[in-house]
Amino acid sequence: MSHNRNGVILKVEGLVKKFGNFRALDGVSLEVEEGKIIGLAGPNGSGKTTFINVVSGVYKSNGGRVIFNGEDITNIDSYKIVRKGINRTFQIPKPLLGLTVEENIRVAAVYGAKDKRKVKERIEYSLSTIGLEGFRFKKAESLTSTQQKLLGLGRALATNPKLLLVDEIAAGLTQKELKMIANMLLGLKEKGVTLIVVEHLMGFLDMITDEVVIMNAGKEIFRGLIREASNNEEVIRVFLGG
Ligand SMILES: Nc1ncnc2c1ncn2[C@@H]1O[C@H](COP(=O)(O)OP(=O)(O)O)[C@@H](O)[C@H]1O
Ligand SMILES: [Mg+2]
C-alpha cells in the first residue's frame, strides 16, 4: 500500500452525490491528515451523513474522487472499503436485534476481516474500548440508547479501522456520558486512529477536534479552528438562518 509523504490519509476531491436532481453533496473537497480528529458540522440536511455514506461506500457518488492512503477507492463496495481500513457509525444505531452484544461485534469482526485469526482479539479489543465487557451476553435490544451507540462504535472498531467516521454520537447524551465518549475518541486518536466526527454540539467538538469543517447545502463553507468558525460571517449566517 502506498502512503502519502505528507501524511494525508483521506483526500476527497469534488465529491458529488445526487438524489434525483438534488445535490446532497455539491463538490466537497477535503483532506484529512493521519492521526487527526476533524469535526464536521452544519445545519440539518447539509450533507454530513451523505458524506459519510459515500466515503464508506454505502452510496455510490455521482462525481469526484475518494483517495485513501493514496489509493483511489471511489465507489468500490463498502465491505472492501471496510477491509481497507475505513469504518463508520450510524446516526441511528442499527444493532442486530436478537443477537447479544458480543455476537453483534463478532459479525462486524468477521465482516471486516482480512485475517480471520485476529477476530477474537478484535472482539475483545472492541468490547474493552467501549466498556461493555460486562454486557457481552446481553441482547442488543436490552441496552439503553447510549449503550446502543457504544455498541455501534464497538462494531466499527471490531474491523480495526484506520479512519473512523462517527455520525452524531453525542446527541441526547448526559454531560457525564459526553465526557466518557470524548475520552474514548481521544483514546482512539492516541492509538493512531484518524477520526471524522459529525456533530452539532460545538462544546463536544471543542473537547476533541483539531479542526472543524462546516458544511452548508452540500458544500464546505469553512475549515479551521473551532473558535475561528464562530467569528466567520458565512458560518454565523448559516447557523443563525439569516
Ligand atoms: N437516501 C436519500 N434519498 C433522498 N434524499 C436523501 C437521502 N439521503 C439524504 N437525502 C437528502 O440529502 C440531504 C442531506 O442529507 P444528510 O446528508 O442526511 O444531511 P445531514 O446529515 O447533514 O443532516 C437532505 O436534504 C436529505 O433529505
Ligand atoms: Mg445526519
Side-chain angles (χ1 to χ4, degrees):
M1 186 181 291
S2 60
H3 288 267
N4 275 333
R5 260 169 295 152
N6 57 355
V8 172
I9 189 168
L10 180 74
K11 188 172 180 179
V12 172
E13 297 173 345
L15 204 59
V16 173
K17 176 63 192 172
K18 297 198 282 187
F19 295 110
N21 287 327
F22 174 71
R23 286 171 176 256
L25 297 179
D26 195 11
V28 176
S29 298
L30 178 66
E31 283 192 9
V32 180
E33 280 173 49
E34 193 160 13
K36 294 272 159 77
I37 302 184
I38 302 300
L40 184 56
N44 275 329
S46 55
K48 306 179 299 294
T49 297
T50 302
F51 178 81
I52 289 182
N53 281 331
V54 173
V55 171
S56 63
V58 171
Y59 291 158
K60 306 293 183 211
S61 69
N62 302 102
R65 298 204 305 162
V66 180
I67 314 290
F68 179 62
N69 271 328
E71 185 186 0
D72 191 334
I73 61 160
T74 317
N75 293 344
I76 73 173
D77 292 337
S78 60
Y79 78 94
K80 288 183 185 156
I81 292 180
V82 165
R83 289 176 190 182
K84 286 183 188 297
I86 300 179
N87 209 346
R88 51 85 58 83
T89 68
F90 289 88
Q91 193 166 346
I92 297 161
K94 304 179 184 176
L96 302 167
L97 303 176
L99 298 190
T100 66
V101 167
E102 185 178 324
E103 287 163 347
N104 264 272
I105 291 176
R106 174 171 294 115
V107 170
V110 171
Y111 176 80
K114 267 187 292 202
D115 181 354
K116 304 278 182 205
R117 290 167 305 179
K118 297 267 171 66
V119 164
K120 178 83 183 126
E121 215 170 89
R122 277 190 274 116
I123 293 170
E124 293 311 314
Y125 157 72
S126 180
L127 275 170
S128 69
T129 304
I130 60 172
L132 290 185
E133 296 115 310
F135 293 83
R136 66 170 75 222
F137 301 124
K138 293 263 191 274
K139 290 277 204 291
E141 58 270 33
S142 73
L143 301 179
T144 66
S145 67
T146 300
Q147 288 170 332
Q148 291 201 4
K149 286 186 176 185
L150 290 172
L151 178 55
L153 182 60
R155 290 172 68 197
L157 291 176
T159 68
N160 202 21
K162 309 269 176 303
L163 173 66
L164 179 63
L165 313 170
V166 180
D167 200 355
E168 296 209 28
I169 201 165
L173 300 191
T174 66
Q175 206 56 34
K176 198 175 152 207
E177 290 169 336
L178 283 178
K179 286 216 175 100
M180 171 193 67
I181 297 221
N183 286 330
M184 215 173 265
L185 298 182
L186 287 168
L188 292 174
K189 176 186 175 176
E190 243 156 62
K191 290 204 176 85
V193 180
T194 306
L195 290 109
I196 298 178
V197 179
V198 168
E199 200 51 72
H200 279 293
L201 301 172
M202 288 296 161
F204 181 77
L205 288 181
D206 201 29
M207 282 192 264
I208 62 170
T209 56
D210 296 293
E211 271 190 296
V212 293
V213 169
I214 314 270
M215 284 181 67
N216 184 43
K219 287 197 166 90
E220 176 192 315
I221 58 163
F222 175 87
R223 175 166 186 164
L225 298 175
I226 201 163
R227 64 170 175 277
E228 291 165 359
S230 54
N231 292 326
N232 181 281
E233 272 182 35
E234 193 171 3
V235 172
I236 293 168
R237 189 159 45 75
V238 161
F239 275 99
L240 299 183

